[in-house]
Amino acid sequence: MADLTALAARLTDGSVQVIDLTSPLHSGTPILQLPPQFGQTQPFRLEEISRYDDRGPNWYWNNILTGEHTGTHLDAPNHWVTGKDKGDVASIPPERLIGPAAVIDKTREASVNADYLLDVPDLEKWQEDNGQFPEKGWLLFRTGWDARGDDPDAYANVDDQGSHTPGVSPEASRYLAGTGLLGFGVETVGTDAGQAPGFTPPFPCHEAVLGAGKYGLTQLRNLDKLPVTGAIVIAAPLPIVTGSGSPARVLALVERP
Ligand code: MN
């Protein structure tokens, strides 16, 4: 049987499951808050056009107001100055939006240290245990942070030192940039740690990964439902011409154990 025919049969019989890695989009969806001297993204909002009423008796529809980087979204290379010549979200070749997923789980570490940073030894240890990161695949960083996704305050975890959320060390960011991965996905509001504005360089994951022409994926959920290796991830951002990113539906195909 052809592979795609077999896949269709396995989707039908449920032996391949589709896991939704996407956070719901609504006016309470957490968004990044930058220090006040910088421009800010807006919350997601629906603006009703009509709802089976005088404005349109038989139909319901809305305008949507959103930032490009709202909810589960994809960062395109041109989001960062280091990747400004490496392409907008609309020009990403579609075959680069689908790939195998590797999941690195630091839930335990992040539960005791909200500022936990993925470091090079973590990346090396994962590969000793599981083989090389997949070529043209996604590395997904599981931290348990998705459990906070319906509570914007717990999700941002701000005190007088700023936000405390897990992320990636500058060294590990550069390491990721040198791999054959498509990109790096996280459960937090962005791919960098909450404290990353104060790192050298600031926001090192954005700097290195987008500068290498790779992508970021954020606010992922349900990474606990993925195997360490073996899932296929499909990330589908809108083709916003010249855009720096887009809300995305992110799905995973998983073989039922
Ligand atoms: Mn972003």
Side-chain angles (χ1 to χ4, degrees), residues 68-69 73-75 79 189-190 206 218:
E68 293 171 331
H69 298 256
H73 70 271
L74 184 139
D75 288 350
H79 178 43
V189 75
H206 284 79
T218 72

Side-chain angles (χ1 to χ4, degrees), residues 230-254:
I232 299 283
V233 164
I234 303 158
L238 299 175
I240 301 169
V241 175
T242 75
S244 72
S246 164
R249 195 71 181 256
V250 183
L251 304 173
L253 301 183
V254 175

Side-chain angles (χ1 to χ4, degrees), residues 121-205:
D122 297 320
L123 302 176
E124 290 176 339
K125 175 70 167 59
W126 188 97
Q127 292 177 98
E128 278 169 31
D129 294 344
N130 302 289
Q132 270 208 323
F133 293 137
E135 279 297 305
K136 295 188 177 172
W138 303 100
L139 179 64
L140 306 179
F141 181 28
R142 173 157 157 68
T143 55
W145 221 256
D146 60 341
R148 302 172 180 236
D150 294 322
D151 180 343
D153 289 339
Y155 193 71
N157 199 32
V158 173
D159 66 11
D160 54 9
Q161 311 295 315
S163 170
H164 298 276
T165 64
V168 192
S169 74
E171 295 75 17
S173 299
R174 288 190 286 274
Y175 185 102
L176 292 174
T179 66
L181 291 164
L182 290 171
F184 179 64
V186 299
E187 296 172 346
T188 45
V189 75
T191 56
D192 267 299
Q195 291 286 297
F199 291 179
T200 308
F203 304 103
C205 188

Side-chain angles (χ1 to χ4, degrees), residues 75-87:
D75 288 350
N78 72 341
H79 178 43
W80 219 252
V81 64
T82 48
K84 67 182 163 68
D85 300 321
K86 301 209 165 161

Side-chain angles (χ1 to χ4, degrees), residues 3 6-19 230-232 234 252-257:
D3 290 343
L7 175 60
R10 296 196 61 188
L11 287 165
T12 301
D13 72 18
S15 65
V16 170
Q17 292 180 322
V18 183
I19 308 291
I232 299 283
I234 303 158
L253 301 183
V254 175
E255 294 191 84
R256 196 171 59 191

